[in-house]
């Protein structure tokens, strides 16, 4: 679901930004900014003169960690049933949007367009975002501010010099691998007074 969520957002960003751009190529690409190489000639492989979208951290959403294993429900006849499945894992994905442009002013312009896009629209659901994968319940983008120490560490890990960039926390990407299985249901509770 991570790839599907980010691919959708990249396509939406391109629709938002590209009408303002002169080149026919996508301005926003999904890629690893750590591999930025100005000597790459192929436009398909190059992340030069583009906004590069990279995942820089993944964490589990702690507030949705303790969901129940068994879920009650009713079958077609109206009888109580229960399904058992491991609860889904909800993830927060930290996404780095880097303005990797030869002309610094162009990079700042397109980075501002990315921020404007998420200011305008920061919640995506299947109802409000046609084309979003139906397995994605909701995506919420929050601007994640980093101090100078954190920025230094991030760009040190990426192995490059600082490029104008912004980090967004993409919340609630759900990973659910196993289908639910039928589980036993408590049908009656007996109380025996002789045991007291």
């Amino acid at each position: 679901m991570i790839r599907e969520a980010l691919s959708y957002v990249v396509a939406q960003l391109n629709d938002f930004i590209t009408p303002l751009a002169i080149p026919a190529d996508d301005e926003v690409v999904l890629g690893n900014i750590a591999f930025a190489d100005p000597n790459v000639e192929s436009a398909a492989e190059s992340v030069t003169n583009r906004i590069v979208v990279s995942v820089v951290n993944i964490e589990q959403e702690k507030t949705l960690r303790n969901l129940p294993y068994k879920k009650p429900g009713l079958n077609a006849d109206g009888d109580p049933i229960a399904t058992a499945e491991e609860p889904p894992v909800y993830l927060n994905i930290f996404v780095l949007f880097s303005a990797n442009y030869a002309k610094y002013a162009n990079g700042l312009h397109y980075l501002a367009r990315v921020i404007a896009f998420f200011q305008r629209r920061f919640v995506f659901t299947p109802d409000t975002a046609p084309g979003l994968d139906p397995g994605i319940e909701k995506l919420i983008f929050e601007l994640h501010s980093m101090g100078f120490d954190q920025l230094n560490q991030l760009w040190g890990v990426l192995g490059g010099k600082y490029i104008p960039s912004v980090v967004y926390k993409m919340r609630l990407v759900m990973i659910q691998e196993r289908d639910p299985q039928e589980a036993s249901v408590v049908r009656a509770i007996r109380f025996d007074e002789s045991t007291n």
Side-chain angles (χ1 to χ4, degrees):
M1 282 299 145
I2 298 170
R3 182 190 67 199
E4 291 82 357
L6 286 175
S7 295
Y8 178 80
V9 169
V10 165
Q12 293 298 306
L13 268 168
N14 274 312
D15 289 346
F16 183 74
I17 291 174
T18 302
L20 301 175
I22 295 167
D25 294 334
D26 289 338
E27 283 296 320
V28 183
V29 294
L30 189 58
N32 189 345
I33 192 64
F35 297 136
D37 185 358
N39 299 319
V40 173
E41 297 295 328
S42 170
E45 297 174 16
S46 176
V47 292
T48 303
N49 292 321
R50 290 185 166 86
I51 296 289
V52 183
V53 180
S54 308
V55 173
V56 293
N57 194 18
I58 299 173
E59 71 178 9
Q60 184 174 9
E61 176 63 46
K62 294 176 183 147
T63 58
L64 297 173
R65 230 174 161 172
N66 295 323
L67 297 174
Y69 176 71
K70 288 186 179 181
K71 296 178 183 174
L74 299 174
N75 66 12
D77 298 330
D79 296 329
I81 61 167
T83 56
E85 67 179 332
E86 292 296 330
V89 175
Y90 288 93
L91 301 174
N92 296 322
I93 314 291
F94 290 84
V95 184
L96 177 70
F97 296 84
S98 307
N100 190 25
Y101 286 83
K103 291 187 178 179
Y104 192 75
N106 288 351
L108 295 177
H109 169 74
Y110 286 115
L111 192 59
R113 297 298 294 158
V114 169
I115 295 167
F117 173 80
F118 288 115
Q119 181 273 328
R120 197 173 163 203
R121 184 176 182 193
F122 62 94
V123 177
F124 299 86
T125 64
D127 294 336
T128 62
L132 185 64
D133 189 291
I136 298 173
E137 294 175 11
K138 183 187 282 190
L139 294 176
I140 304 167
F141 282 82
E142 298 173 357
L143 185 61
H144 180 73
S145 298
M146 300 176 76
F148 288 112
D149 290 342
Q150 292 174 316
L151 278 174
N152 182 39
Q153 291 171 2
L154 175 63
W155 285 96
V157 167
L158 293 173
K161 295 179 182 177
Y162 177 76
I163 297 171
S165 59
V166 64
V167 176
Y168 277 88
K169 182 179 181 181
M170 181 174 71
R171 296 183 56 224
L172 302 179
V173 175
M174 182 184 78
I175 306 290
Q176 177 70 42
E177 186 62 30
R178 191 171 156 226
D179 293 329
Q181 306 292 321
E182 190 171 331
S184 59
V185 177
V186 176
R187 301 205 181 271
I189 299 175
R190 293 191 185 118
F191 179 71
D192 187 0
E193 291 184 24
S194 63
T195 59
N196 287 340

